[in-house]
Amino acid sequence: MKAAFIEKFGGPEMIRFGERPDPVAGPGEIVADVHAASINAADWKVRLGHYSGRTSFPLILGRDFSGIVSAAGDGVHDIKPGDAVFGVCDVGHEGAYAERIAIKSEIIARKPDGISHIDAAALALTGLTALVTIEDTLKLQPGETILIQGGAGGVASVAIQLAKHLSAHVITTASLSNHDYLRDLGADEIINYKTRDFTEAVSGCDAVFDAVGGDVAQRSFTVLRPGGRAAFIASGPKPPAPPRGDVVSLRPNVRRDRPHLERILHLIEAGAVRQPEITLFPLSRAADAHAISESRHLRGKLVFKIR
Ligand SMILES: NC(=O)c1ccc[n+]([C@@H]2O[C@H](COP(=O)([O-])OP(=O)(O)OC[C@H]3O[C@@H](n4cnc5c(N)ncnc54)[C@H](OP(=O)(O)O)[C@@H]3O)[C@@H](O)[C@H]2O)c1
């Protein structure tokens, strides 16, 4: 049997649709028939060589998926063929833009029937990143004020809802066309960053979550109160150095594990978090999906519907 996949490097036009032998479930692994896989900004960064020291060829892109288990390897006792599962590839691994994937069973979770494969794929890496940043890294407290930069992106769409669920006051930045979307997710204040400098609009924040990077990240320290903390997911592996000594700069460590995926499910089932806005693509249009993601003005998530 052969499974279709998408691989390649270079510009979006260089992405290739191909076939490979079916993956095999090694010890501690399962193989899943992928029903949906999401596109993450990391995918085009990998394609452009940003992580070139850590990649080897041939390479199949894609970090998160939802699907049905078709085989379980030695030592896998808690997940069996026929189970619906979702998850994120282990750190340093890719391979979700495919019809089948092999992955360690301990880092995936069972998908309840009430959540579609598409929604589960859209919420896997975005949900993990939002949870690890807001709860584990910033340790956001009820009543605190947080500025979430880049509110309309996939991770921030989840982070806004999570911060509201924790009873924080949420300020976010976005262009005007995304304000209704963000109000609907629960944001208390929305700054149109194209017409207003956020450093003039906001001050005294307890926390900042930056999902934009670059100059936006660096200038975000300005809005913190003394003792405030900022977390950065779009500034590379290390947090930017703060220009002042009375605040903390943090880089969330987004590890993959089942408890965090189950916490996402709990939040969905409690009605606290829903999926970001989703645009669907077939796997064969990966190049188009990458071009949209790379524009950095996507609202919500792009998801491949594979089955
Ligand atoms: N494990 C990790 O560390 C991890 C995991 C996931 C993602 N990430 C990184 O986090 C970043 C965000 O990823 P994502 O997929 O959630 O979103 P994304 O697709 O990269 O973000 C797109 C959004 O950014 C907004 N945006 C662009 N420039 C902005 C600006 N100057 N100010 C405010 N908003 C701006 C756009 O809104 P407008 O159209 O309104 O401008 C758009 O909705 C990426 O760099 C990604 O690589 C890291």
Side-chain angles (χ1 to χ4, degrees):
M1 278 265 282
K2 288 184 171 180
F5 71 94
I6 292 283
E7 76 165 0
K8 205 59 177 145
F9 259 51
E13 72 285 356
M14 299 285 288
I15 292 174
R16 193 164 68 84
F17 192 66
E19 288 188 339
R20 64 165 176 185
D22 264 346
V24 172
E29 290 183 339
I30 59 94
V31 169
D33 289 341
V34 179
H35 283 237
S38 99
I39 291 98
N40 289 285
D43 303 345
W44 54 261
K45 293 180 186 178
V46 171
R47 197 195 75 236
L48 292 174
H50 292 200
Y51 306 93
S52 52
R54 288 199 273 130
T55 49
S56 61
F57 294 93
L59 181 91
I60 299 174
L61 294 169
R63 295 198 168 178
D64 53 2
F65 77 100
S66 180
I68 305 278
V69 176
S70 60
D74 287 349
V76 178
H77 304 297
D78 47 359
I79 289 181
K80 59 183 187 317
D83 286 348
V85 294
F86 77 115
V88 182
C89 296
D90 213 350
V91 174
H93 292 258
E94 329 275 332
Y97 289 15
E99 289 182 333
R100 290 185 195 89
I101 188 170
I103 187 167
K104 280 195 259 174
S105 70
E106 66 186 17
I107 60 169
I108 61 172
R110 274 209 193 74
K111 182 191 76 64
D113 289 344
I115 299 169
S116 70
H117 287 295
I118 287 165
D119 290 352
L123 278 161
L125 184 54
T126 57
L128 271 191
T129 309
L131 274 181
V132 168
T133 304
I134 296 282
E135 293 192 337
D136 303 353
T137 306
L138 290 169
K139 302 183 194 310
L140 193 66
Q141 300 300 311
E144 287 195 319
T145 295
I146 184 168
L147 170 65
I148 300 180
Q149 299 279 22
V155 176
S157 294
V158 182
I160 288 168
Q161 300 176 75
L162 180 59
K164 282 307 298 173
H165 177 65
L166 298 173
S167 302
H169 182 79
V170 177
I171 308 171
T172 191
T173 52
S175 53
L176 187 59
S177 60
N178 287 323
H179 286 207
D180 285 347
Y181 171 67
L182 295 173
R183 216 168 278 118
D184 206 40
L185 292 179
D188 296 296
E189 296 179 48
I190 307 162
I191 300 163
N192 180 355
Y193 71 89
K194 290 196 167 156
T195 57
R196 197 157 181 219
D197 183 339
F198 70 88
T199 62
E200 289 169 10
V202 190
S203 61
C205 291
D206 300 289
V208 168
F209 178 4
D210 176 57
V212 175
D215 182 51
V216 171
Q218 199 57 43
R219 295 194 309 126
S220 289
F221 291 110
T222 314
V223 309
L224 287 171
R225 66 161 169 80
R229 60 259 186 234
F232 301 88
I233 61 164
S235 300
K238 290 193 175 143
R244 48 190 277 206
D246 61 348
V247 295
V248 183
S249 180
L250 302 158
R251 175 52 165 109
N253 175 16
V254 186
R255 61 203 164 277
R256 281 60 156 144
D257 61 35
R258 189 176 297 166
H260 279 86
L261 294 173
E262 289 178 343
R263 170 108 176 106
I264 297 167
L265 294 176
H266 170 77
L267 288 163
I268 298 169
E269 282 161 359
V273 165
R274 66 173 189 268
Q275 72 282 0
E277 184 172 303
I278 292 171
T279 307
L280 290 179
F281 276 86
L283 194 54
S284 57
R285 286 189 58 210
D288 295 334
H290 270 224
I292 293 170
S293 178
E294 206 173 330
S295 77
R296 297 300 313 271
H297 290 290
L298 164 71
R299 177 162 73 209
K301 285 290 289 179
L302 302 171
V303 175
F304 292 125
K305 184 175 186 314
I306 294 175
R307 281 184 169 79

